Amino acid sequence: LLVSNLLFALVMWLIYIVLSFWIAGTVMFSVQGLWFIGNSLAFTGCITAMAFLIAQLVNSRNALNGIVNVIGLGSSFLCGAFVPLVWLPGSVKAIAHLLPSYWYIDANEQIKLLETFSWETLLPIILNITVVIIFTVVFVLAANYLSRHRQDR
């Protein structure tokens, strides 16, 4: 089930990438564009794994819709998608570090500011993407554990 969800997410991601090439054009044909694409791919996998984990935790479809809305909108506000991080208080930023959206948005902000491509300038971006991948692995492991635990009952 997780693999089919990931395949569906990958198809949606590909549509998103095609649209971004059509809308942004030259930006997406740059090295920065490739980093944006890689970052979005990592985040797509992470969010799909998170959604799968939430689905393993909740039995009710109505509750699932509510939880997904709260997590999606809440993390967007906390992590800087709607309000820039520089305007948020330090306590909110500290909480935001616990969510994968923060690392994705931070990587996008750093990619946007790239002027030279060297190990020193790319390292923070690579670290952010690595954190998103670690979140993905944790979500997949937790979802698999819960799935097996449910099957044993």
Side-chain angles (χ1 to χ4, degrees):
L1 188 57
L2 177 59
V3 172
S4 65
N5 286 334
L6 286 170
L7 285 174
F8 178 76
L10 182 63
V11 169
M12 293 294 105
W13 175 80
L14 285 171
I15 292 170
Y16 163 76
I17 296 303
V18 168
L19 286 173
S20 67
F21 274 96
W22 182 60
I23 293 170
T26 58
V27 172
M28 297 310 292
F29 285 107
S30 68
V31 175
Q32 280 178 310
L34 292 175
W35 280 99
F36 280 126
I37 290 169
N39 191 34
S40 68
L41 178 61
F43 190 64
T44 299
C46 183
I47 295 306
T48 304
M50 181 195 299
F52 187 73
L53 173 62
I54 293 168
Q56 296 301 313
L57 292 169
V58 179
N59 292 329
S60 167
R61 181 173 283 231
N62 290 331
L64 183 62
N65 289 333
I67 290 170
V68 167
N69 283 330
V70 167
I71 290 174
L73 289 173
S75 67
S76 295
F77 277 108
L78 289 174
C79 298
F82 296 135
V83 178
L85 279 173
V86 295
W87 294 354
L88 297 175
S91 58
V92 173
K93 290 179 191 176
I95 293 169
H97 280 78
L98 301 172
L99 301 168
S101 301
Y102 170 84
W103 303 96
Y104 168 72
I105 292 168
D106 189 51
N108 273 345
E109 290 300 317
Q110 291 180 31
I111 293 167
K112 180 175 69 175
L113 299 175
L114 275 178
E115 291 180 8
T116 61
F117 296 92
S118 66
W119 178 250
E120 290 80 25
T121 59
L122 293 175
L123 184 61
I125 297 166
I126 293 168
L127 290 174
N128 282 347
I129 294 172
T130 302
V131 170
V132 171
I133 292 169
I134 290 169
F135 270 108
T136 306
V137 170
V138 169
F139 293 149
V140 168
L141 292 175
N144 283 338
Y145 173 79
L146 288 172
S147 177
R148 290 174 195 248
H149 181 70
R150 280 188 174 180
Q151 289 176 357
D152 290 342
R153 279 199 241 166

